[in-house]
């Protein structure tokens, strides 16, 4: 009792309390069951997104691809691929550079994705619901003015990111208390206010996209994707609102896994709700993806104005 001493942070006492043992350094590794599962899911979704992009490029001259703005669809698919791939920055051995790239890549990819969805929704609203003169509407559509939303939103994110990195950037940290006998290597977010500010900015973009898509959900368009955009934004918002309390109630590798899961779930929601119906028509119901079907549908609506 007279010679009792406390073990240092890097060690822990053995069962007999006679000596201090070195703690094992651990992190969310690719070889762990949890890390392997998340890696497999991320890889499968990234490959699936690339296949959808190839399908859209192959059918780029068909009505369903042209009707929903090919450029924005390509941009969204490429960005979603990056969203899935950025989860690999959270898994494996970490360093300071990886910690900074985690947040920059994750936030930047989602900013571009949500801004693209917002541009898609605004394009539909401009085409069908604005009360501007026809020449103004025609100029907005021909000049592709809604597409400028993407660089504007990205620029705002870069300013937020620069403030974050300039004041309190993410750094490599150790958690020696969450698991007995282990030192968990993880990334500290640095400024908690900046991290939550970025999440708030993403959620505000999602709400804006949802609002615009909701306004145009019942507009008369053969391939109107507004309903699918609104569903995807609703799921995205719910995922990240749920993420915050769960994230703060977990520790260690589970905390990192929760962030990776939220990235995968929200990206999968965008991919599934927006592109699955289009892929279904292209692959399963190609007869609907034709000018003949569009003319017949338009003629039927003119003859039956009560049809929705």
């Amino acid at each position: 009792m007279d010679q009792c001493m406390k073990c240092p942070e890097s060690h822990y006492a053995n069962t007999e309390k006679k000596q201090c043992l070195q703690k094992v350094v651990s992190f969310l590794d690719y070889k762990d069951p949890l890390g392997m599962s998340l890696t497999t899911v991320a890889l499968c979704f990234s490959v699936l997104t690339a296949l959808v992009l190839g399908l859209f490029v192959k059918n780029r001259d068909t009505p369903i691809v042209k009707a929903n703005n090919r450029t924005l669809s390509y941009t969204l698919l490429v960005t979603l691929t990056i969203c899935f791939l950025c989860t690999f920055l959270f898994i494996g051995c970490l360093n300071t550079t990886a910690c900074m790239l985690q947040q920059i890549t994750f936030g930047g990819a989602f900013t571009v994705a949500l801004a693209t969805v917002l541009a898609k929704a605004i394009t539909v609203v401009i085409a069908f619901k604005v009360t501007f003169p026809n020449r103004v509407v025609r100029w907005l559509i021909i000049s592709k003015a809604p597409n400028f939303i993407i660089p504007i939103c990205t620029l705002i994110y870069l300013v937020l990111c620069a403030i974050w990195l300039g004041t309190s950037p993410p750094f490599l940290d150790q958690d020696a208390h969450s698991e007995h006998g282990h030192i968990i290597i993880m990334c500290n977010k640095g400024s908690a206010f900046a991290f939550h500010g970025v999440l708030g900015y993403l959620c505000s973009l999602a709400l804006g996209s949802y609002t615009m898509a909701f306004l145009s959900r019942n507009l008369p368009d053969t391939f109107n994707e507004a309903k699918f955009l609104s569903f995807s934004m609703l799921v995205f918002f719910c995922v990240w609102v749920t993420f915050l309390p769960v994230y703060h109630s977990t520790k260690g590798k589970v905390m990192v896994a929760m962030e990776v899961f939220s990235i995968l779930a929200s990206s999968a929601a965008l991919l599934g709700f927006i592109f699955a119906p289009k892929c279904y028509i292209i692959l399963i119901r190609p007869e609907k993806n034709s000018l003949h079907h569009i003319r017949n549908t338009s003629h039927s609506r003119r003859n039956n104005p009560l049809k929705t």
Side-chain angles (χ1 to χ4, degrees), residues 168-182:
S168 181
F171 60 90
L172 194 65
D173 199 5
Q174 298 181 354
D175 183 1
H177 305 288
S178 295
E179 293 185 19
H180 179 70
H182 289 77

Side-chain angles (χ1 to χ4, degrees), residues 44-258:
C44 290
F45 272 117
S46 58
V47 172
L48 179 61
T49 309
L51 291 176
V52 174
L53 176 60
L55 181 66
F56 267 59
V57 172
K58 182 180 179 180
N59 296 272
R60 60 186 177 275
D61 294 325
T62 58
I64 192 170
V65 177
K66 295 170 68 175
N68 297 136
N69 198 318
R70 285 180 297 189
T71 303
L72 292 180
S73 295
Y74 296 159
T75 302
L76 183 56
L77 286 169
V78 171
T79 308
L80 286 178
T81 305
I82 297 174
C83 289
F84 288 121
L85 293 177
C86 78
T87 57
F88 292 107
L89 294 172
F90 294 80
I91 307 173
C93 189
L94 300 173
N95 52 50
T96 303
T97 303
C99 289
M100 298 181 71
L101 286 176
Q102 280 182 5
Q103 307 308 321
I104 296 174
T105 308
F106 147 68
F110 271 111
T111 298
V112 175
L114 294 174
T116 304
V117 175
L118 181 60
K120 275 176 165 283
I122 290 178
T123 300
V124 177
V125 173
I126 288 177
F128 290 96
K129 291 202 77 170
V130 299
T131 55
F132 296 148
N134 289 336
R135 63 178 183 277
V136 176
V137 174
R138 191 179 302 110
W139 176 83
L140 288 173
I141 296 176
I142 294 176
S143 64
K144 298 182 179 180
N147 292 9
F148 289 104
I149 293 173
I150 300 174
I152 292 173
C153 292
T154 305
L155 181 61
I156 295 174
Y157 168 75
L158 291 177
V159 171
L160 293 174
C161 196
I163 296 174
W164 184 2
L165 297 180
T167 54
S168 181
F171 60 90
L172 194 65
D173 199 5
Q174 298 181 354
D175 183 1
H177 305 288
S178 295
E179 293 185 19
H180 179 70
H182 289 77
I183 297 177
I184 300 175
I185 305 299
M186 56 187 299
C187 292
N188 191 306
K189 298 296 187 291
S191 174
F193 178 79
F195 173 67
H196 290 87
V198 168
L199 287 184
Y201 176 64
L202 294 178
C203 287
S204 65
L205 285 178
L207 280 177
S209 302
Y210 171 76
T211 302
M212 298 304 296
F214 184 81
L215 291 175
S216 57
R217 70 193 185 283
N218 292 323
L219 295 180
D221 187 7
T222 305
F223 297 123
N224 187 6
E225 61 178 351
K227 291 182 180 180
F228 305 119
L229 295 178
S230 59
F231 275 125
S232 64
M233 290 299 96
L234 189 60
V235 174
F236 181 94
F237 182 76
C238 291
V239 167
W240 287 104
V241 168
T242 308
F243 161 79
L244 287 175
V246 177
Y247 178 81
H248 289 294
S249 62
T250 55
K251 294 181 180 180
K253 292 187 288 187
V254 180
M255 179 187 292
V256 181
M258 274 305 306

Side-chain angles (χ1 to χ4, degrees), residues 268-280:
L270 294 178
L271 178 65
F273 281 109
I274 297 176
F275 293 101
K278 300 179 181 63
C279 292
Y280 171 78

